[in-house]
Amino acid sequence: MSVSSDILPWHDTAWQLLKSYISNERIPQALLLTGQAGLGKAQLVRSFAHLLLCESSNSSHDSPCGKCRSCILFVSGTHPDFIDIKPESEDKDIGIDQIRWLLSKIRLTVHYLQYRIIVVQQADQMNRSAANSFLKGLEEPPDRTVIILITDQLSLIPATIQSRCQKIVIETPTTDRALDWLNKNDTTGDLSLLLQMSRRAPLLAREYAECDAITIRMQLFEKFVLLRRKKLSVVVVAAFCCEHNQFDLVAWMISWIVDLMKINQTSSVVGVENVDLYDPLKILTGDLDLQHLYDFYLVALELHLQLKQPLNKNLAYEGFFIKWAAV
Ligand SMILES: [Zn+2]
């Protein structure tokens, strides 16, 4: 079994670093993996955990043996020293009960010979009391315990937690590299548009291709324009957004607002991200004021952050679209 073949091309630098921790036998007790959504951060952490837990003394520190007790348990998803938590559902945060449970596991001795690995996915979703409790656990982790936090939203991780972790940033690949990977992985559709919609995150672009996100984007854009022309109600557009909340709709709208500001200033297509929407955007920007657009851009950024938290999404979208109709 080779794990290296599972390593995505844009993970290579981080993977070399993680492997060097193992080969030098200097594993940080707390790691914080960050980078935008859709880059496969959890997949990389699993590869690292698998390699770290492998018991084979012949391990070249490049890939797990695939035969030892640890490898078999890991692949079957039942390794007692690999503990992975995330929010229980999309509209829930990580609560203190989950963290208390996690900390109780940390205090137990390691079952096998290797390490205990604790992974917190979407670590930015820890609520305040959970984060405080987690911080206490970070202060005195037992030996041979590695805590790994994963987040798309580094700014939401408290500084007190960040300062105790070794930070690894997963870089977004270049467009060429991302296109190359999508082609090799048989992704079909308008790849350039899919990459633009996913801000060059290849796994997200592939997911978007599979669930026809391009159609949803066009439907949202039409509603975005009609709302501005007072031909559609805020309620209808907000309901549409809630229905398609699995997509990063606000990121798309932010890119439209940025393009509206660019076109408002120069009328040029140069630098416009949504090239396919240039004509309707140009018409739309005709009656918009640049300063008001900029103010609305800040509102959109705020909404983008808010939607990462558990809240009444319908109300949040309605408030946002009321402002859009009035820009
Ligand atoms: Zn093994």
Side-chain angles (χ1 to χ4, degrees):
M1 172 182 300
S2 165
V3 148
S4 294
S5 61
D6 297 335
I7 299 300
L8 296 161
W10 56 92
H11 286 170
D12 194 52
T13 309
W15 179 237
Q16 298 304 330
L17 176 67
L18 289 166
K19 278 197 308 182
S20 74
Y21 291 152
I22 300 178
S23 54
N24 297 329
E25 297 184 27
R26 293 179 71 90
I27 320 281
Q29 286 208 299
L31 285 166
L32 173 58
L33 232 82
T34 182
Q36 70 172 92
L39 295 180
K41 295 185 292 297
Q43 182 178 329
L44 178 65
V45 165
R46 279 191 66 80
S47 298
F48 174 62
H50 190 178
L51 186 57
L52 192 54
L53 290 170
C54 175
E55 292 173 85
S56 169
S57 56
N58 296 324
S59 169
S60 63
H61 301 304
D62 199 44
S63 54
C65 74
K67 296 181 188 126
C68 72
R69 182 176 51 170
S70 263
C71 279
I72 290 164
L73 285 169
F74 189 86
V75 170
S76 69
T78 54
H79 200 299
D81 293 324
F82 180 76
I83 301 161
D84 187 8
I85 68 159
K86 58 182 168 187
E88 283 167 1
S89 67
E90 221 185 58
D91 54 354
K92 281 197 174 151
D93 52 19
I94 296 177
I96 191 160
D97 288 345
Q98 272 175 291
I99 297 300
R100 281 191 181 134
W101 175 82
L102 200 66
L103 295 177
S104 72
K105 295 279 179 188
I106 290 181
R107 285 185 211 107
L108 300 172
T109 50
V110 171
H111 286 76
Y112 293 129
L113 301 171
Q114 305 298 317
Y115 285 85
R116 167 167 296 117
I117 300 163
I118 309 282
V119 180
V120 183
Q121 296 195 42
Q122 293 170 252
D124 47 272
Q125 298 292 306
M126 277 190 277
N127 64 32
R128 188 186 295 249
S129 51
N132 285 337
S133 173
F134 185 77
L135 191 59
K136 289 202 184 85
L138 267 184
E139 275 165 4
E140 40 192 62
D143 282 350
R144 304 187 81 74
T145 296
V146 185
I147 297 168
I148 307 177
L149 303 180
I150 306 177
T151 181
D152 309 333
Q153 302 286 331
L154 185 63
S155 62
L156 297 179
I157 302 283
T160 42
I161 290 183
Q162 288 194 36
S163 65
R164 284 180 167 80
C165 299
Q166 178 85 39
K167 199 181 298 169
I168 298 180
V169 180
I170 306 300
E171 301 290 349
T172 303
T174 61
T175 302
D176 284 350
R177 206 168 190 191
L179 274 175
D180 184 52
W181 184 84
L182 287 173
N183 277 316
K184 281 182 182 152
N185 284 274
D186 302 326
T187 308
T188 53
D190 185 340
L191 300 186
S192 295
L193 180 55
L194 288 165
L195 279 177
Q196 185 244 308
M197 287 163 62
S198 62
R199 286 170 293 157
R200 299 202 318 273
L203 299 186
L204 187 58
R206 184 173 64 178
E207 200 182 307
Y208 279 175
E210 285 163 0
C211 50
D212 201 15
I214 288 179
T215 303
I216 303 298
R217 168 181 175 267
M218 267 325 288
Q219 289 173 351
L220 178 64
F221 185 73
E222 284 161 12
K223 288 178 171 47
F224 190 75
V225 174
L226 287 174
L227 182 62
R228 178 73 202 156
R229 300 210 177 112
K230 317 269 189 288
K231 288 181 178 163
L232 205 59
S233 83
V234 163
V235 175
V236 171
V237 190
F240 177 87
C241 290
C242 288
E243 196 185 327
H244 299 95
N245 196 47
Q246 75 273 33
F247 299 104
D248 199 348
L249 305 176
V250 182
W252 301 348
M253 289 191 276
I254 288 172
S255 78
W256 302 339
I257 299 163
V258 170
D259 282 348
L260 281 170
M261 289 193 284
K262 284 180 191 161
I263 299 169
N264 190 292
Q265 275 184 304
T266 67
S267 285
S268 166
V269 73
V270 177
V272 170
E273 264 193 59
N274 298 277
V275 178
D276 61 319
L277 301 177
Y278 176 77
D279 289 337
L281 284 169
K282 192 166 191 303
I283 296 168
L284 196 57
T285 197
D287 65 340
L288 288 165
D289 173 81
L290 186 60
Q291 181 60 47
H292 292 167
L293 265 176
Y294 183 71
D295 293 343
F296 184 63
Y297 165 69
L298 298 181
V299 172
L301 290 183
E302 179 67 28
L303 176 69
H304 200 220
L305 271 186
Q306 276 178 0
L307 290 172
K308 310 281 179 193
Q309 311 288 330
L311 86 169
N312 184 326
K313 292 186 169 49
N314 199 45
L315 273 182
Y317 276 121
E318 283 186 9
F320 173 73
F321 288 122
I322 286 170
K323 286 179 182 151
W324 169 231
V327 167

